[in-house]
Structure formats: C-alpha cells, structure tokens
C-alpha cells in the first residue's frame, strides 16, 4: 500500500473510525488514479506558487503546499500539526451522491480525511481528479467555504496554465457571486 494512503499517527483509531463511516483505503487501481491526481495537482500548484502571496484568498500557501505535497502540515486553523489521510467511500450515498470528494469536518487522531467518492474514479476524468484535489486541499487547510475553494483552485490553474476548469454552474449554485471571492478573468 502506498504511503499516500497510510497515516502512521493514530492509524488504528483512524481505521476504526473509517470503518464505522463506511470508508476504506483505496484499492490498487484507485490508488494509482489518486497518486496521479496528486502529482498533477502538485505540478500545477508548483507552477503557480512563485506568483502567490504568503496568504492568497485566505489560504496560507505554505500550509497548502505542505498538505498537498507532504500530506502533513502545521495548521494555523487548528493550531496543531495534522496529517492528510486519503480514503475512499465506495457508496454513492450521503456526500458522495453530489461530490467527487469531500473533507471530513472533524479531526481524528491528528488527521483530516480527504474522502474520494466513486465519481472521482470515473474513466477519463483526469482533469476532474486534479481539480478536485486542488479544491479539497483548500478545505483541508482553510475551512469549508466552497466559494473560496473554487476561486483559489481557479486562480492556481489560471496562473499555472493560462486557463481553469469551468465552474460556472457550481459557482452559481453556491451563490458565489455574492461572496467576496472572484474567479479569474
């Protein structure tokens, strides 16, 4: 099993909680898709990083970098060091009914869980997977604001590649035009 799917600190308790929530470590094929998405997201972020401030749109860029690349970061939001635990949810119910991934709101044994749903693993969804990782890491380090996560992700993609994944429907559904965040031009 890849190091991306194992959090050494509090593993037994985190595994027990994951089983209670119906979550599981990724299977071999899924693990490859997640690792590829993580690498792609890290490359995109690294290209944008020189153009970012220490805090961009309320997202501490060093914490974001560490959470994305090292899966461990010193959280200013939680005032502690945390791991990012990657797990899958095989069910298409609950939060997985509407999302490709989500971050659990609670910290368990020093880790924040980033949960990948069945939609994350759809064939041919490489761009969705990378965008999803970039988006969810915002939630890991900065909180639950969907507009912030979408705007930050779009900015990273725009700085790195000159364009970003279209999110206008999601942006409208979350009433982000009324938020303090804006998508890049």
């Amino acid at each position: 099993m890849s190091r991306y799917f194992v959090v050494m600190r509090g593993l037994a308790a985190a595994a027990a909680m994951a089983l209670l929530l119906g979550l599981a470590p990724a299977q071999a094929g899924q693990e490859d898709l997640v690792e590829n998405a993580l690498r792609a997201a890290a490359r995109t972020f690294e290209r944008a990083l020189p153009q970012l401030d220490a805090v961009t749109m309320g997202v501490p860029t060093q914490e974001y970098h560490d959470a994305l690349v090292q899966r461990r970061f010193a959280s200013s939001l939680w005032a502690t060091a945390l791991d990012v635990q990657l797990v899958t949810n095989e069910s298409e119910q609950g939060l997985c009914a509407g999302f490709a991934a989500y971050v659990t709101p609670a910290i368990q044994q020093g880790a924040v869980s980033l949960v990948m749903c069945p939609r994350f693993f759809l064939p041919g969804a490489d761009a969705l997977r990378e965008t999803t990782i970039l988006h969810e890491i915002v939630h890991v380090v900065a909180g639950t604001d969907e507009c912030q996560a979408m705007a930050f992700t779009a900015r990273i993609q725009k700085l790195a590649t000159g364009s970003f994944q279209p999110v206008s429907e999601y942006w409208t559904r979350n009433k982000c035009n009324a938020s303090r965040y804006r998508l890049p031009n």
Side-chain angles (χ1 to χ4, degrees):
M1 180 169 282
S2 165
R3 65 186 168 90
Y4 298 123
F5 294 94
V6 178
V7 177
M8 298 312 288
R9 292 167 230 24
L11 182 59
M17 178 59 72
L19 289 173
L20 287 173
L21 295 172
L23 308 176
Q27 297 172 0
Q30 292 175 332
E31 189 175 310
D32 290 341
L33 291 173
V34 173
E35 288 184 29
N36 290 340
L38 286 164
R39 282 193 295 275
R43 281 191 304 273
T44 298
F45 180 74
E46 293 287 343
R47 283 191 295 250
L49 185 58
Q51 301 169 73
L52 299 175
D53 295 326
V55 176
T56 302
M57 294 184 201
V59 178
T61 53
Q62 186 62 50
E63 290 177 30
Y64 184 94
H65 175 270
D66 293 347
L68 177 62
V69 175
Q70 300 171 5
R71 261 70 70 212
R72 183 161 177 79
F73 66 105
S75 172
S76 58
L77 182 65
W78 301 105
T80 188
L82 295 169
D83 292 309
V84 179
Q85 179 179 5
L86 304 171
V87 294
T88 61
N89 184 341
E90 300 297 328
S91 171
E92 292 187 23
Q93 298 177 2
L95 290 174
C96 283
F99 299 104
Y102 63 91
V103 173
T104 57
I107 295 171
Q108 298 292 326
Q109 299 296 315
V112 176
S113 293
L114 194 168
V115 181
M116 273 70 65
C117 299
R119 185 178 302 188
F120 185 89
F121 300 104
L122 291 174
D126 291 341
L128 168 70
R129 285 187 278 276
E130 176 185 342
T131 300
T132 298
I133 294 291
L134 290 167
H135 176 101
E136 295 303 327
I137 295 296
V138 175
H139 293 314
V140 166
V141 301
T144 61
D145 190 314
E146 284 299 314
C147 303
Q148 176 189 33
M150 283 187 285
F152 184 85
T153 298
R155 177 139 187 228
I156 294 304
Q157 290 176 327
K158 178 79 173 189
L159 290 171
T161 68
S163 65
F164 59 94
Q165 291 296 313
V167 294
S168 58
E169 182 181 320
Y170 196 65
W171 187 261
T172 301
R173 186 171 56 237
N174 284 280
K175 299 177 177 53
C176 293
N177 285 334
S179 78
R180 62 184 176 138
Y181 301 103
R182 298 290 169 258
L183 293 173
N185 296 328

